[in-house]
Amino acid sequence: MLPNEGPKERLRDHVPRYAVGLVAGFASGLTKVAVGHGFDTVKTRVQLHPVLKNHSAVHVLMTTIKREGFLALYKGAMAPSVGWAAIDSVLLGSLHTYRLFLLHNGMTEDPTSTGPRLTLLAHGTAGLFAGLTSAPLATPIELLKVRLQLQMQKSVSDRQFKGPIDCAQHIVRSQGVFSLWTGFSGGLFFRANFFYMFLAFEACMRGLSTLKGTPYEPNVGIANLIAGGAASLCFWTMAIPFDRTKNQMMSHPYPQPYPDCSITRPSLVSVARQIYKAEGPSGFYRGLGPCYLRAFPSNACAFFVYEGLLRALGAEQTRR
């Protein structure tokens, strides 16, 4: 190690250039679970629980804590704590790869003397393909999370599924291994909405850059927090109908116990029709309030970690 070598240089030496997006995404996923999983549990119960879905998010939150304790908000967190880190590693790693591909293949603009940068459409396109790329990994992890979050029993011994491994084993024994991908079509439509998240993030970063040289100019880290939080609100506004549909597909046949024999898995169209018939258009937006409460802090922190690590690891720049 050279005498003047700092921590950033040491990090850059030990992480291959092609892997920086994966490393940054992994850390981002862990951050997102730590900050936002409790809100996600409330959202899932508001969307799917036959009694609680008729109440507000605050009522569901207080009822859950009163009946099951605070840690009940983190039911199903073990799967995403490992899985979400892996999902975001694939999502954000492939995002960085798609951005580089589009940057090197001319989907750029050159509005300043700093050199070419990706267009806003290119950022959205990279987000779209990154979302679709992560869907095969995300679907079984989300399925286990949903099933575990809907168990209302306080005692583990009273629950049908004792944890994510037991849940996965039960599903595979009764339905076969491919049943872990129940809701995959809904997941594809849901994850296609990362188009809006990463387009909005870049648009917000560019808007904040116009404050340069003024008393209101934020540093890069603060800008990442603001833009990440704002982009997540845009994402959930567009994605919540597909999230509701996907989650109902994954929870089937809830509220009945998951059976020990084969069942017919519901299709995306049949579930969407069921929701519309029972609840009307507003049914697709059930759970949007908890999404908003969770989205800003968890995604602001996740973007802060992701972008900060990209800079620390010397990733090739796709944003200017």
Side-chain angles (χ1 to χ4, degrees):
M1 184 178 71
L2 297 175
N4 295 326
E5 189 179 38
K8 287 187 179 181
E9 287 71 19
R10 292 196 295 272
L11 279 171
R12 291 169 184 170
D13 288 344
H14 288 87
V15 180
R17 301 279 293 180
Y18 64 85
V20 292
L22 296 173
V23 173
F26 190 86
S28 172
L30 288 176
T31 303
K32 193 181 297 182
V33 173
V35 177
H37 188 82
F39 291 107
D40 188 72
T41 298
V42 172
K43 179 208 70 174
T44 300
R45 292 183 173 187
V46 167
Q47 287 180 335
L48 302 175
H49 194 275
V51 176
L52 294 179
K53 72 179 184 179
N54 296 316
H55 295 278
S56 69
V58 174
H59 175 84
V60 173
L61 172 66
M62 299 308 296
T63 300
T64 298
I65 294 174
K66 182 178 179 180
R67 291 181 179 176
E68 304 166 62
F70 179 79
L71 292 180
L73 295 173
Y74 283 83
K75 281 183 177 179
M78 184 179 294
S81 65
V82 176
W84 233 254
I87 292 170
D88 271 18
S89 184
V90 173
L91 173 70
L92 298 175
S94 61
L95 173 74
H96 186 64
T97 301
Y98 289 130
R99 281 174 170 176
L100 289 174
F101 175 81
L102 296 175
L103 182 67
H104 296 154
N105 285 273
M107 203 168 179
T108 58
E109 59 188 9
D110 191 5
T112 67
S113 59
T114 59
R117 67 181 184 185
L118 286 173
T119 63
L120 288 177
L121 179 60
H123 281 280
T125 302
L128 166 65
F129 284 107
L132 297 179
T133 300
S134 64
L137 176 62
T139 300
I141 294 170
E142 290 183 335
L143 183 142
L144 297 177
K145 174 184 69 68
V146 167
R147 295 270 169 83
L148 293 171
Q149 285 175 327
L150 289 172
Q151 297 190 120
M152 301 293 291
Q153 299 85 357
K154 184 174 183 179
S155 173
V156 175
S157 61
D158 294 332
R159 300 172 192 167
Q160 183 179 14
F161 307 123
K162 311 310 177 188
I165 295 176
D166 179 61
C167 184
Q169 290 174 336
H170 188 109
I171 293 169
V172 171
R173 280 197 305 267
S174 60
Q175 303 293 127
V177 68
F178 290 109
S179 63
L180 291 172
W181 278 266
T182 297
F184 180 66
S185 57
L188 286 175
F189 279 96
F190 169 71
R191 291 192 159 265
N193 288 277
F194 280 110
F195 173 92
Y196 300 105
M197 173 175 276
F198 293 108
L199 186 152
F201 177 78
E202 178 63 17
C204 193
M205 287 295 293
R206 293 183 187 185
L208 292 170
S209 71
T210 62
L211 298 175
K212 188 175 182 178
T214 72
Y216 306 103
E217 176 186 358
N219 63 40
V220 177
I222 296 299
N224 289 159
L225 284 168
I226 296 171
S232 68
L233 298 182
C234 178
F235 168 80
W236 279 107
T237 300
M238 303 303 295
I240 188 66
F242 305 103
D243 179 70
R244 171 69 202 280
T245 306
K246 165 183 68 70
N247 287 348
Q248 188 144 327
M249 293 173 71
M250 290 177 171
S251 69
H252 182 77
Y254 182 84
Q256 300 301 318
Y258 197 77
D260 292 321
C261 57
S262 181
I263 58 173
T264 301
R265 285 181 281 169
S267 68
L268 175 68
V269 173
S270 67
V271 170
R273 286 175 176 169
Q274 179 184 345
I275 294 171
Y276 184 82
K277 182 178 180 180
E279 304 176 49
S282 64
F284 292 101
Y285 290 86
R286 188 176 297 280
L288 185 58
C291 280
Y292 280 161
L293 290 174
R294 176 194 66 163
F296 198 102
S298 63
N299 285 280
C301 294
F303 269 104
F304 176 82
V305 170
Y306 174 67
E307 293 283 333
L309 277 175
L310 285 183
R311 290 190 296 273
L313 296 172
E316 185 174 347
Q317 294 301 303
T318 59
R319 300 185 45 260
R320 297 186 191 281

